[in-house]
Amino acid sequence: MKQLIVFPTSQLVRQYKRDMLKNEKGVTGELPVTYEFFVDRCIDEIAAPFTFIGDFKKNLLLQHIFSRLIKQLRYFKSASPGYCFKIGEIIGELKREDMSPAEFRDLVKNTPKNQDIYTIYSAYQKLLKKNRLIDREDRHILCKNYIDKSRFVASYDSICFKEFYNFSTIQKKIIRNLGHKAEICDTKMGFNVNKITVVHALDRKTEAWNLAHTILDDLNNGLLPEEICIVLRNRELYLPYIYEAFKEAGIPVETQLTAPLIQNPFIKSLFAMSKGELGIYFDKQINVDDNLFECYGYWASVMLEYLEMMGFPQKFIQIHEGNVFLIKRDVEAFECLKELLQDFKEVEALAGKGHIDFDGFLKRFAGFVKNGNYSGYPPEKGIWLLSFTMLRGLKFKKAYVLGMIEGEFPRAYRPDWLLREEERALINDNGYDIDVIKTLFEREKESFYYLLSGCGEAYFSYPEVQESGSPTLISSYLEDLIHSDVDCEKYRVSFSEVFCIDIGKSFKSLQGVLCDEKTKDKIERYFNWYRFSITALNTYGQCPYKFFLARVLNLTPDIDETEFTALDRGIVSHKILEEFFKNHKQSLLAQDIEVYEREIDQIAESVMAEMTNEDAFLHPKIYEIEKQSIVQQIKTYIGNHIKSQGDFVPYLLEYDFGFDEDFFIIFGNKKVKLCGKIDRIDINPEGKIAVFDYKNSYNPGIEEVCDGTNFQMPIYIIAAQKLLQRPVVGGAFIPLKKGSVDNIIVRDRELPFVSKRKRKGILDEKQWHELLNLAIQKIASYVENIQDANFPIQPKKCPKIDKYSGFCDFTKVCPWEGE
Ligand code: SF4
């Protein structure tokens, strides 16, 4: 009997073949295949007249359809790429259910949203049909319709679907149409894990480095790479760290590592060039007529010609001076970009022309590039890196799982905003099986069972904080496991315990010092009238090259605007304190502390509700924890403030300078425009003032003024003195985590907030003026260097030298490797 085994994933096919060879059975008879391969073979006789379109083209088509229909739509008012992707997802879901546009329309309520989905879905289907195109889901529908006539299927007596555990609606229909030939065979799941290790790590980077150490030890102790696997839910967040740590440890990891296209330096430079910023990739601007309105295909051709004229991709060899890794990375990104531009041209030929100016085209194009990925890392053979769903049916001696936090695994599923839960339930009442929250959670739990069933031992780790600085909660699945009978070892690890890196590589000291006269001239003109913020000057002091990347090239980190970040936390804390002190311009009374605390609770409640989005938190509990933590810090501070306020009372809150009216410091015959915002200025009955700045994380000290890496306090003092025409007697930072004044710069040791034990930061008149002059001189020299286009890679603070000495968004694009 001739049987074909079909597995849902390529990993199962490979493990099956490997086991056959290991057991010396040899792979005889028919080789097993993946489900996708099976579908392709079933339709290859009838799919020939059709052209397959991938997800990018699908979304581009939808964008065109969307724009064309926008006047007819009732719910959507614009055709933004975000809406197009969402509609594309819903259409994919409906097609996987084998549901036509008309069937969808007849099942759901007649709301503007559903009407729009129907209108776009049916226009999309018509367009595919007219142009003989098929998308990913159409392949499965074709397979279902044709499978009973397929010659490929006819050549087998039976088709065995192994280790699927769950089938989608379209898969069920395909199996049903196979009739008696179809067999379903799943290995029974059981609880096979007998030992777990649980690691509580500082952050994700620490998790990755600890994992590298652990795997290295396990391999040295006899485990083989094919006997273990790494499991990740949040690949994008972990891959760069894993790649870095495993490269250092010399452990090969097998993954088709991809990186967001928009983060590639060549792609970033292309978009920067379009805003007039030139650099090593693009030293000439693209020549376009700003008033010209043309079709998308026209602008795509203009871009392609420009890239060719600039000498890409050969130019990468010269730019990267033979560094094969960087050349390969950029060539991959270039090819991807070229393909996207070609797709623009092709889609327009199918869906009709739209007219747009170059700026508009770039914006649209950037929207699509943002969702594109490229192979940013060279592929390697090694330990498998899998997702939870890919684990189904696989067997390993040990699995290593990172990111076991609530909200990520299990995911905090939220109802879909476009096709709502009640509509989904309505669809399912009519025999479909579209995702609803309940099934998503069931599937999540099931994928955890794949792990517990397929591995003898498991290593789990989770980060203490997220990228935003928010605390995390351990995954409830892991917590249940810890409290079960299984043998469990737990430990905590910090970054300094696991980080080790060879920093012996050289760098070019001249990198960042620009020589091209035209560029220098442009930079000088630009920074001549520039209004310097304190952050900008501090950045130059910490690393001139970082200033260049951030303020000259205007590179920005990718920020997920939907997440609650450390910045949001700072804004919320500042707002609560501002609101509180607005109500209390007199001294606070110790006996009223409970009243103040209740007031802080109320202010925090309304500020959090107004300024944050509860959905930005992984879990509602984390929102509550975050709120309570902010409130607690502020209460602690107010308690301490009552003790140290003396006769000072709040005078000005959130006092900004240099915005409405220019504020200068003058050196020689030059003026430097400065701006900033002082969190709070207090005043005493003699009219003396003190400036305060709330800090959420890092709290700079006087030594940083001296080494030129933080000018905040001296500039605040100079500005307050000059603009308010009152004597400033001191300034201090208020680290909210600590809840009391710290790192002071004062010229009067009797000030009420100055502890009697303090020495640092208490200056006599001479030292006070010397310090302020030193700050002015340093600022002057920085501004001169900036205007002279000197941005050498000479960091005073850099996370590559010392993880705890500074933060930098550009560690991945910066070539500095330490001295
Ligand atoms: S990584 Fe270090 S050297 Fe490079 S820009 Fe950032 S701070 Fe400067």
Side-chain angles (χ1 to χ4, degrees):
M1 182 165 118
K2 199 173 166 197
Q3 185 185 55
L4 178 70
I5 298 177
V6 181
F7 282 115
T9 65
S10 60
Q11 287 78 10
L12 273 162
V13 172
R14 285 172 64 188
Q15 199 169 72
Y16 178 88
K17 286 187 202 165
R18 205 157 65 191
D19 288 349
M20 289 286 124
L21 290 169
K22 203 159 58 190
N23 298 335
E24 293 174 353
K25 287 183 187 164
V27 184
T28 53
E30 286 297 312
L31 289 174
V33 297
T34 62
Y35 176 71
E36 289 300 320
F37 179 87
F38 169 76
V39 168
D40 278 340
R41 289 304 312 273
C42 290
I43 62 172
D44 61 5
E45 294 142 32
I46 48 154
F50 297 100
T51 306
F52 173 71
I53 57 162
D55 286 344
F56 179 76
K57 250 190 205 165
K58 171 183 168 181
N59 286 322
L60 263 184
L61 279 176
L62 283 169
Q63 168 101 48
H64 275 267
I65 293 169
F66 216 132
S67 309
R68 195 158 39 81
L69 296 175
I70 196 73
K71 288 206 181 96
Q72 291 176 37
L73 300 180
R74 291 169 56 202
Y75 176 78
F76 291 104
K77 299 283 171 263
S78 74
S80 78
Y83 290 153
C84 296
F85 290 121
K86 185 66 204 164
I87 288 268
E89 268 174 33
I90 297 286
I91 290 177
E93 270 195 86
L94 300 178
K95 289 179 84 164
R96 280 194 292 280
E97 290 300 309
D98 198 16
M99 189 188 306
S100 69
E103 283 166 329
F104 170 74
R105 181 200 52 206
D106 296 343
L107 274 181
V108 293
K109 285 188 211 137
N110 184 11
T111 62
K113 250 189 219 172
N114 292 338
Q115 260 299 328
D116 285 1
I117 297 175
Y118 163 74
T119 309
I120 296 168
Y121 183 14
S122 50
Y124 173 67
Q125 287 299 94
K126 273 185 205 145
L127 195 121
L128 292 188
K129 196 170 170 199
K130 184 172 156 216
N131 294 290
R132 302 185 76 78
L133 301 172
I134 49 171
D135 63 15
R136 197 180 295 280
E137 286 77 22
D138 285 324
R139 290 166 52 251
H140 295 235
I141 296 171
L142 268 183
C143 179
K144 176 208 77 176
N145 295 339
Y146 186 72
I147 198 155
D148 53 344
K149 298 172 213 71
S150 159
R151 270 187 276 161
F152 172 66
V153 169
S155 65
Y156 292 96
D157 300 309
S158 80
I159 313 281
C160 176
F161 294 89
K162 221 167 155 40
E163 319 293 19
F164 276 69
Y165 294 95
N166 277 312
F167 292 99
S168 67
T169 302
I170 188 76
Q171 285 175 333
K172 283 181 199 155
K173 288 186 180 178
I174 289 173
I175 291 170
R176 194 183 59 210
N177 289 356
L178 269 173
H180 68 277
K181 276 195 179 183
E183 277 179 41
I184 295 169
C185 171
D186 294 332
T187 307
K188 205 163 175 282
M189 281 204 273
F191 189 94
N192 293 320
V193 166
N194 50 43
K195 183 169 184 252
I196 62 167
T197 307
V198 178
V199 181
H200 179 185
L202 176 75
D203 53 17
R204 296 189 204 267
K205 191 165 180 169
T206 310
E207 283 187 88
W209 279 82
N210 193 55
L211 179 67
H213 286 286
T214 310
I215 290 188
L216 208 53
D217 284 350
D218 287 346
L219 293 174
N220 287 336
N221 288 332
L223 273 178
L224 297 172
E226 63 264 30
E227 291 170 338
I228 60 180
C229 71
I230 300 167
V231 185
L232 295 178
R233 161 51 58 82
N234 212 330
R235 288 167 73 92
E236 269 99 63
L237 289 178
Y238 282 101
L239 284 181
Y241 298 140
I242 290 190
Y243 188 73
E244 174 193 48
F246 280 57
K247 196 167 157 235
E248 204 60 38
I251 310 168
V253 184
E254 182 170 340
T255 173
Q256 294 303 314
L257 293 174
T258 58
L261 194 54
I262 196 77
Q263 280 178 15
N264 174 272
F266 159 70
I267 304 287
K268 279 187 174 182
S269 304
L270 178 69
F271 286 106
M273 176 280 301
S274 68
K275 292 183 197 144
E277 293 155 19
L278 303 178
I280 51 164
Y281 288 102
F282 298 97
D283 50 11
K284 263 194 212 79
Q285 254 181 290
I286 190 165
N287 194 5
V288 286
D289 178 351
D290 290 341
N291 299 318
L292 186 64
F293 276 72
E294 264 295 351
C295 61
Y296 289 88
Y298 172 85
W299 292 123
S301 299
V302 168
M303 292 268 284
L304 285 165
E305 278 164 26
Y306 170 71
L307 290 172
E308 199 184 328
M309 190 264 284
M310 292 304 295
F312 292 109
Q314 293 80 356
K315 196 175 172 184
F316 292 129
I317 301 171
Q318 173 206 332
I319 291 173
H320 297 307
E321 297 173 347
N323 182 329
V324 180
F325 177 81
L326 296 181
I327 295 170
K328 186 179 174 308
R329 178 198 68 186
D330 285 355
V331 169
E332 292 275 358
F334 170 79
E335 289 301 331
C336 210
L337 184 83
K338 225 171 102 183
E339 211 172 297
L340 298 189
L341 288 167
Q342 291 290 5
D343 280 351
F344 257 96
K345 289 169 69 176
E346 282 172 31
V347 163
E348 196 161 64
L350 298 169
K353 294 187 177 183
H355 278 72
I356 194 162
D357 63 0
F358 185 59
D359 222 33
F361 169 78
L362 278 178
K363 277 192 194 126
R364 278 281 147 86
F365 187 51
F368 284 97
V369 169
K370 229 176 169 177
N371 287 284
N373 283 319
Y374 78 112
S375 318
Y377 307 90
E380 266 193 277
K381 291 247 173 281
I383 297 165
W384 284 359
L385 215 148
L386 307 169
S387 65
F388 279 96
T389 45
M390 284 156 102
L391 280 172
R392 56 177 153 175
L394 292 173
K395 300 270 174 268
F396 294 98
K397 283 199 175 156
K398 188 167 178 182
Y400 305 80
V401 191
L402 307 194
M404 288 299 286
I405 56 174
E406 202 64 11
E408 281 184 18
F409 193 74
R411 231 177 224 143
Y413 288 108
R414 294 201 169 89
D416 193 274
W417 62 269
L418 187 53
L419 188 57
R420 305 183 73 87
E421 276 296 279
E422 53 271 26
E423 305 286 5
R424 289 169 178 269
L426 202 63
I427 291 172
N428 288 348
D429 288 346
N430 286 278
Y432 293 95
D433 195 11
I434 203 160
D435 286 345
V436 289
I437 296 280
K438 188 168 162 269
T439 46
L440 291 174
F441 276 116
E442 282 168 4
R443 230 176 281 149
E444 195 81 335
K445 189 96 201 185
E446 193 173 60
S447 65
F448 194 53
Y449 289 139
Y450 294 148
L451 177 92
L452 303 180
S453 166
C455 307
E457 191 179 340
Y459 161 105
F460 298 98
S461 71
Y462 62 99
E464 196 172 296
V465 286
Q466 294 180 65
E467 295 53 47
S468 60
S470 305
T472 59
L473 291 177
I474 184 172
S475 157
S476 50
Y477 293 176
L478 182 55
E479 220 166 14
D480 290 348
L481 193 60
I482 292 170
H483 295 118
S484 71
D485 293 339
V486 70
D487 181 10
C488 172
E489 184 200 342
K490 287 199 270 183
Y491 65 91
R492 191 182 181 283
V493 65
S494 68
F495 188 70
S496 55
E497 289 168 76
V498 291
F499 183 68
C500 47
I501 194 159
D502 170 17
I503 55 163
K505 296 171 195 162
S506 64
F507 81 109
K508 286 191 177 158
S509 60
L510 283 181
Q511 211 147 0
V513 177
L514 308 186
C515 302
D516 179 75
E517 284 308 321
K518 263 201 211 148
T519 313
K520 285 182 70 164
D521 190 46
K522 218 170 165 185
I523 287 179
E524 188 184 357
R525 273 187 282 126
Y526 180 66
F527 284 107
N528 233 339
W529 287 104
Y530 192 78
R531 187 164 52 194
F532 286 93
S533 68
I534 295 162
T535 315
L537 293 167
N538 290 348
T539 303
Y540 191 88
Q542 288 156 13
C543 173
Y545 194 64
K546 181 159 88 173
F547 179 94
F548 172 68
L549 298 177
R551 307 273 165 165
V552 182
L553 295 188
N554 279 332
L555 300 186
T556 47
D558 233 16
I559 294 173
D560 184 347
E561 284 160 19
T562 59
E563 267 191 26
F564 188 74
T565 61
L567 187 65
D568 299 323
R569 185 175 229 273
I571 294 170
V572 167
S573 307
H574 278 63
K575 187 73 190 160
I576 297 172
L577 281 160
E578 185 190 354
E579 293 298 318
F580 178 80
F581 279 115
K582 247 190 223 165
N583 301 336
H584 300 282
K585 291 265 179 124
Q586 306 303 325
S587 290
L588 297 180
L589 303 173
Q591 66 266 29
D592 289 344
I593 184 74
E594 284 178 12
V595 180
Y596 301 144
E597 289 189 346
R598 279 200 296 279
E599 188 183 338
I600 291 166
D601 284 330
Q602 281 165 7
I603 297 174
E605 195 67 49
S606 72
V607 169
M608 283 289 277
E610 188 189 322
M611 299 180 76
T612 65
N613 169 9
E614 204 174 323
D615 288 349
F617 295 81
L618 279 174
H619 194 278
K621 268 193 205 159
I622 294 183
Y623 175 81
E624 269 311 310
I625 291 175
E626 189 67 53
K627 187 167 70 185
Q628 283 318 318
S629 139
I630 292 174
V631 163
Q632 197 43 53
Q633 285 175 359
I634 292 176
K635 286 180 182 172
T636 310
Y637 166 61
I638 294 299
N640 284 324
H641 171 78
I642 292 173
K643 290 180 208 148
S644 64
Q645 61 190 332
D647 56 355
F648 277 81
V649 293
Y651 174 46
L652 292 165
L653 304 171
E654 302 292 322
Y655 176 74
D656 57 27
F657 58 90
F659 291 101
D660 295 337
E661 274 184 39
D662 285 345
F663 172 75
F664 299 100
I665 58 164
I666 299 170
F667 64 98
N669 55 0
K670 274 207 166 194
K671 283 173 161 186
V672 178
K673 260 201 242 179
L674 295 177
C675 62
K677 189 187 254 187
I678 304 172
D679 291 339
R680 206 179 81 222
I681 302 177
D682 286 2
I683 191 163
N684 74 357
E686 294 164 43
K688 292 178 179 169
I689 57 177
V691 297
F692 296 97
D693 189 72
Y694 308 125
K695 286 278 171 237
N696 257 78
S697 49
Y698 184 67
N699 192 29
I702 194 166
E703 56 286 348
E704 277 140 283
V705 181
C706 300
D707 77 4
T709 54
N710 200 302
F711 296 115
Q712 192 170 13
M713 203 41 79
I715 293 180
Y716 281 2
I717 291 170
I718 293 167
Q721 198 147 280
K722 200 165 165 191
L723 295 168
L724 301 173
Q725 293 290 307
R726 289 184 183 278
V728 180
V729 284
F733 292 105
I734 299 166
L736 293 172
K737 271 195 186 133
K738 188 175 168 200
S740 61
V741 161
D742 201 4
N743 287 358
I744 54 167
I745 296 178
V746 299
R747 53 170 157 165
D748 179 356
R749 79 141 32 260
E750 297 307 319
L751 288 169
F753 56 84
V754 176
S755 148
K756 296 295 164 244
R757 294 193 304 274
K758 262 239 171 331
R759 282 168 193 275
K760 211 167 87 177
I762 302 171
L763 312 176
D764 59 29
E765 281 298 317
K766 185 166 169 265
Q767 289 167 328
W768 171 268
H769 290 293
E770 273 173 6
L771 186 80
L772 298 186
N773 280 337
L774 178 74
I776 292 177
Q777 273 170 25
K778 282 200 184 275
I779 291 171
S781 77
Y782 288 178
V783 172
E784 270 182 353
N785 269 312
I786 291 167
Q787 290 170 346
D788 215 21
N790 288 331
F791 309 104
I793 308 192
Q794 286 171 343
K796 284 189 190 142
K797 288 187 169 193
C798 169
K800 289 188 182 179
I801 305 170
D802 175 1
K803 153 103 177 146
Y804 300 100
S805 85
F807 174 79
C808 179
D809 282 318
F810 310 112
T811 48
K812 288 196 202 108
V813 294
C814 167
W816 162 264
E817 296 289 355
E819 275 174 308

